[in-house]
Amino acid sequence: EPEVTQTPSHQVTQMGQEVILRCVPISNHLYFYWYRQILGQKVEFLVSFYNNEISEKSEIFDDQFSVERPDGSNFTLKIRSTKLEDSAMYFCAGRESSYNEQFFGPGTRLTVL
Amino acid sequence: GIQVEQSPPDLILQEGANSTLRCNFSDSVNNLQWFHQNPWGQLINLFYIPSGTKQNGRLSATTVATERYSLLYISSSQTTDSGVYFCAVGASGTYKYIFGTGTRLKVLA
């Protein structure tokens, strides 16, 4: 069964550094998402991406964040200058259409020191 | 925006017991999913259920969209059922999911 993959599984970085989190969605999916979960809290929406552009973003997704689908398979989340409060689990998700289930990747745990 | 509340926040069961988890939402939804977050943090999809009833083994779920709630039933619980259960809803006119605060389940042997 196809699944969403994410790399790396765990990333440790210094405050102020740039990080890129990578996701490979399921091949026939058209809608893509990034969510994050701070330890012990609920999962929060960051951004949705459809037809090569952002379709919706949350207040968390400020100018420090960007997303890209550079080659038709990878879907990336970049944080330009990480802050301590960016430490969280980041999940990538995708779906075929806007009215069926979202499939989540296993997550990347980001630790900012 | 839409509010999603889950109850109870915490639940401790003896192995073999049954339980019902509830998800209330404040507005009409087009999408609803239940997830189990395992100890490694992975979100395991349990049900996609914007309306109606579904069953998968010991688990079943019912969503009554007109009354704005969904229920997840766990029967004959096992220690491997431990973890956090989240419902996530997609409100009309939006593609994103809003997650509830979760129910933390612990099943004792």
Side-chain angles (χ1 to χ4, degrees), chain B residues 94-109:
Chain B
T94 177
Y95 300 125
K96 68 188 180 192
Y97 272 171
I98 300 299
F99 279 73
T101 49
T103 291
R104 185 173 301 275
L105 174 65
K106 186 164 187 177
V107 181
L108 304 176

PDB file of all heavy atoms in Angstrom, chain B residues 94-109:
ATOM      1  N   THR B  94     -13.358  24.959   3.188  1.00  0.00           N
ATOM      2  CA  THR B  94     -11.932  24.936   3.489  1.00  0.00           C
ATOM      3  C   THR B  94     -11.397  23.539   3.265  1.00  0.00           C
ATOM      4  O   THR B  94     -12.120  22.560   3.401  1.00  0.00           O
ATOM      5  CB  THR B  94     -11.651  25.414   4.922  1.00  0.00           C
ATOM      6  OG1 THR B  94     -10.246  25.296   5.175  1.00  0.00           O
ATOM      7  CG2 THR B  94     -12.395  24.596   5.938  1.00  0.00           C
ATOM      8  N   TYR B  95     -10.116  23.445   2.937  1.00  0.00           N
ATOM      9  CA  TYR B  95      -9.504  22.140   2.697  1.00  0.00           C
ATOM     10  C   TYR B  95      -8.774  21.594   3.920  1.00  0.00           C
ATOM     11  O   TYR B  95      -8.451  20.429   3.994  1.00  0.00           O
ATOM     12  CB  TYR B  95      -8.473  22.234   1.560  1.00  0.00           C
ATOM     13  CG  TYR B  95      -9.041  22.685   0.237  1.00  0.00           C
ATOM     14  CD1 TYR B  95      -8.504  23.789  -0.418  1.00  0.00           C
ATOM     15  CD2 TYR B  95     -10.091  22.008  -0.372  1.00  0.00           C
ATOM     16  CE1 TYR B  95      -9.008  24.202  -1.641  1.00  0.00           C
ATOM     17  CE2 TYR B  95     -10.588  22.426  -1.591  1.00  0.00           C
ATOM     18  CZ  TYR B  95     -10.036  23.516  -2.224  1.00  0.00           C
ATOM     19  OH  TYR B  95     -10.520  23.937  -3.435  1.00  0.00           O
ATOM     20  N   LYS B  96      -8.502  22.465   4.881  1.00  0.00           N
ATOM     21  CA  LYS B  96      -7.646  22.062   5.999  1.00  0.00           C
ATOM     22  C   LYS B  96      -8.435  21.276   7.030  1.00  0.00           C
ATOM     23  O   LYS B  96      -9.672  21.298   7.058  1.00  0.00           O
ATOM     24  CB  LYS B  96      -7.080  23.319   6.672  1.00  0.00           C
ATOM     25  CG  LYS B  96      -8.140  24.144   7.373  1.00  0.00           C
ATOM     26  CD  LYS B  96      -7.596  25.467   7.867  1.00  0.00           C
ATOM     27  CE  LYS B  96      -8.693  26.257   8.559  1.00  0.00           C
ATOM     28  NZ  LYS B  96      -8.299  27.656   8.794  1.00  0.00           N
ATOM     29  N   TYR B  97      -7.698  20.596   7.913  1.00  0.00           N
ATOM     30  CA  TYR B  97      -8.289  19.936   9.069  1.00  0.00           C
ATOM     31  C   TYR B  97      -8.039  20.773  10.314  1.00  0.00           C
ATOM     32  O   TYR B  97      -6.950  21.327  10.504  1.00  0.00           O
ATOM     33  CB  TYR B  97      -7.662  18.565   9.289  1.00  0.00           C
ATOM     34  CG  TYR B  97      -8.333  17.437   8.539  1.00  0.00           C
ATOM     35  CD1 TYR B  97      -7.761  16.174   8.498  1.00  0.00           C
ATOM     36  CD2 TYR B  97      -9.544  17.607   7.877  1.00  0.00           C
ATOM     37  CE1 TYR B  97      -8.364  15.124   7.824  1.00  0.00           C
ATOM     38  CE2 TYR B  97     -10.145  16.568   7.198  1.00  0.00           C
ATOM     39  CZ  TYR B  97      -9.555  15.327   7.181  1.00  0.00           C
ATOM     40  OH  TYR B  97     -10.141  14.280   6.513  1.00  0.00           O
ATOM     41  N   ILE B  98      -9.049  20.829  11.162  1.00  0.00           N
ATOM     42  CA  ILE B  98      -8.905  21.334  12.513  1.00  0.00           C
ATOM     43  C   ILE B  98      -8.995  20.130  13.444  1.00  0.00           C
ATOM     44  O   ILE B  98      -9.977  19.366  13.391  1.00  0.00           O
ATOM     45  CB  ILE B  98     -10.013  22.351  12.859  1.00  0.00           C
ATOM     46  CG1 ILE B  98      -9.972  23.549  11.897  1.00  0.00           C
ATOM     47  CG2 ILE B  98      -9.876  22.815  14.303  1.00  0.00           C
ATOM     48  CD1 ILE B  98      -8.680  24.335  11.933  1.00  0.00           C
ATOM     49  N   PHE B  99      -7.966  19.986  14.252  1.00  0.00           N
ATOM     50  CA  PHE B  99      -7.915  18.845  15.163  1.00  0.00           C
ATOM     51  C   PHE B  99      -8.521  19.197  16.506  1.00  0.00           C
ATOM     52  O   PHE B  99      -8.417  20.338  16.985  1.00  0.00           O
ATOM     53  CB  PHE B  99      -6.457  18.420  15.386  1.00  0.00           C
ATOM     54  CG  PHE B  99      -5.897  17.554  14.292  1.00  0.00           C
ATOM     55  CD1 PHE B  99      -5.576  18.091  13.055  1.00  0.00           C
ATOM     56  CD2 PHE B  99      -5.691  16.199  14.503  1.00  0.00           C
ATOM     57  CE1 PHE B  99      -5.058  17.294  12.047  1.00  0.00           C
ATOM     58  CE2 PHE B  99      -5.167  15.396  13.502  1.00  0.00           C
ATOM     59  CZ  PHE B  99      -4.861  15.946  12.271  1.00  0.00           C
ATOM     60  N   GLY B 100      -9.124  18.182  17.145  1.00  0.00           N
ATOM     61  CA  GLY B 100      -9.537  18.330  18.528  1.00  0.00           C
ATOM     62  C   GLY B 100      -8.340  18.200  19.458  1.00  0.00           C
ATOM     63  O   GLY B 100      -7.214  17.926  19.019  1.00  0.00           O
ATOM     64  N   THR B 101      -8.586  18.392  20.735  1.00  0.00           N
ATOM     65  CA  THR B 101      -7.507  18.347  21.727  1.00  0.00           C
ATOM     66  C   THR B 101      -7.149  16.925  22.128  1.00  0.00           C
ATOM     67  O   THR B 101      -6.174  16.725  22.832  1.00  0.00           O
ATOM     68  CB  THR B 101      -7.896  19.142  22.978  1.00  0.00           C
ATOM     69  OG1 THR B 101      -9.207  18.743  23.386  1.00  0.00           O
ATOM     70  CG2 THR B 101      -7.893  20.639  22.706  1.00  0.00           C
ATOM     71  N   GLY B 102      -7.925  15.956  21.690  1.00  0.00           N
ATOM     72  CA  GLY B 102      -7.553  14.564  21.882  1.00  0.00           C
ATOM     73  C   GLY B 102      -8.091  13.948  23.161  1.00  0.00           C
ATOM     74  O   GLY B 102      -8.434  14.638  24.125  1.00  0.00           O
ATOM     75  N   THR B 103      -8.172  12.627  23.142  1.00  0.00           N
ATOM     76  CA  THR B 103      -8.462  11.828  24.335  1.00  0.00           C
ATOM     77  C   THR B 103      -7.273  10.903  24.557  1.00  0.00           C
ATOM     78  O   THR B 103      -6.916  10.132  23.667  1.00  0.00           O
ATOM     79  CB  THR B 103      -9.738  10.979  24.160  1.00  0.00           C
ATOM     80  OG1 THR B 103     -10.879  11.835  24.117  1.00  0.00           O
ATOM     81  CG2 THR B 103      -9.889   9.974  25.303  1.00  0.00           C
ATOM     82  N   ARG B 104      -6.656  11.033  25.738  1.00  0.00           N
ATOM     83  CA  ARG B 104      -5.508  10.171  26.074  1.00  0.00           C
ATOM     84  C   ARG B 104      -6.025   8.921  26.748  1.00  0.00           C
ATOM     85  O   ARG B 104      -6.611   8.995  27.831  1.00  0.00           O
ATOM     86  CB  ARG B 104      -4.540  10.923  26.985  1.00  0.00           C
ATOM     87  CG  ARG B 104      -3.264  10.152  27.291  1.00  0.00           C
ATOM     88  CD  ARG B 104      -2.284  11.024  28.059  1.00  0.00           C
ATOM     89  NE  ARG B 104      -1.921  12.223  27.322  1.00  0.00           N
ATOM     90  CZ  ARG B 104      -0.959  12.276  26.417  1.00  0.00           C
ATOM     91  NH1 ARG B 104      -0.250  11.217  26.135  1.00  0.00           N
ATOM     92  NH2 ARG B 104      -0.691  13.410  25.803  1.00  0.00           N
ATOM     93  N   LEU B 105      -5.833   7.776  26.093  1.00  0.00           N
ATOM     94  CA  LEU B 105      -6.322   6.496  26.595  1.00  0.00           C
ATOM     95  C   LEU B 105      -5.165   5.654  27.108  1.00  0.00           C
ATOM     96  O   LEU B 105      -4.142   5.502  26.431  1.00  0.00           O
ATOM     97  CB  LEU B 105      -7.050   5.741  25.480  1.00  0.00           C
ATOM     98  CG  LEU B 105      -7.499   4.312  25.795  1.00  0.00           C
ATOM     99  CD1 LEU B 105      -8.555   4.313  26.900  1.00  0.00           C
ATOM    100  CD2 LEU B 105      -8.040   3.629  24.546  1.00  0.00           C
ATOM    101  N   LYS B 106      -5.352   5.111  28.292  1.00  0.00           N
ATOM    102  CA  LYS B 106      -4.384   4.163  28.828  1.00  0.00           C
ATOM    103  C   LYS B 106      -5.139   2.887  29.179  1.00  0.00           C
ATOM    104  O   LYS B 106      -6.111   2.916  29.936  1.00  0.00           O
ATOM    105  CB  LYS B 106      -3.701   4.721  30.063  1.00  0.00           C
ATOM    106  CG  LYS B 106      -2.573   3.829  30.578  1.00  0.00           C
ATOM    107  CD  LYS B 106      -1.679   4.579  31.542  1.00  0.00           C
ATOM    108  CE  LYS B 106      -0.472   3.722  31.887  1.00  0.00           C
ATOM    109  NZ  LYS B 106       0.482   4.432  32.765  1.00  0.00           N
ATOM    110  N   VAL B 107      -4.703   1.771  28.607  1.00  0.00           N
ATOM    111  CA  VAL B 107      -5.318   0.471  28.870  1.00  0.00           C
ATOM    112  C   VAL B 107      -4.359  -0.347  29.723  1.00  0.00           C
ATOM    113  O   VAL B 107      -3.211  -0.585  29.315  1.00  0.00           O
ATOM    114  CB  VAL B 107      -5.653  -0.276  27.567  1.00  0.00           C
ATOM    115  CG1 VAL B 107      -6.318  -1.616  27.888  1.00  0.00           C
ATOM    116  CG2 VAL B 107      -6.560   0.566  26.675  1.00  0.00           C
ATOM    117  N   LEU B 108      -4.834  -0.755  30.873  1.00  0.00           N
ATOM    118  CA  LEU B 108      -4.003  -1.496  31.823  1.00  0.00           C
ATOM    119  C   LEU B 108      -4.190  -3.000  31.663  1.00  0.00           C
ATOM    120  O   LEU B 108      -5.313  -3.480  31.482  1.00  0.00           O
ATOM    121  CB  LEU B 108      -4.371  -1.083  33.250  1.00  0.00           C
ATOM    122  CG  LEU B 108      -4.286   0.415  33.554  1.00  0.00           C
ATOM    123  CD1 LEU B 108      -4.773   0.699  34.963  1.00  0.00           C
ATOM    124  CD2 LEU B 108      -2.866   0.903  33.361  1.00  0.00           C
ATOM    125  N   ALA B 109      -3.072  -3.721  31.758  1.00  0.00           N
ATOM    126  CA  ALA B 109      -3.120  -5.189  31.618  1.00  0.00           C
ATOM    127  C   ALA B 109      -3.723  -5.850  32.847  1.00  0.00           C
ATOM    128  O   ALA B 109      -3.661  -5.271  33.956  1.00  0.00           O
ATOM    129  CB  ALA B 109      -1.721  -5.717  31.372  1.00  0.00           C
TER     130      ALA B 109
END
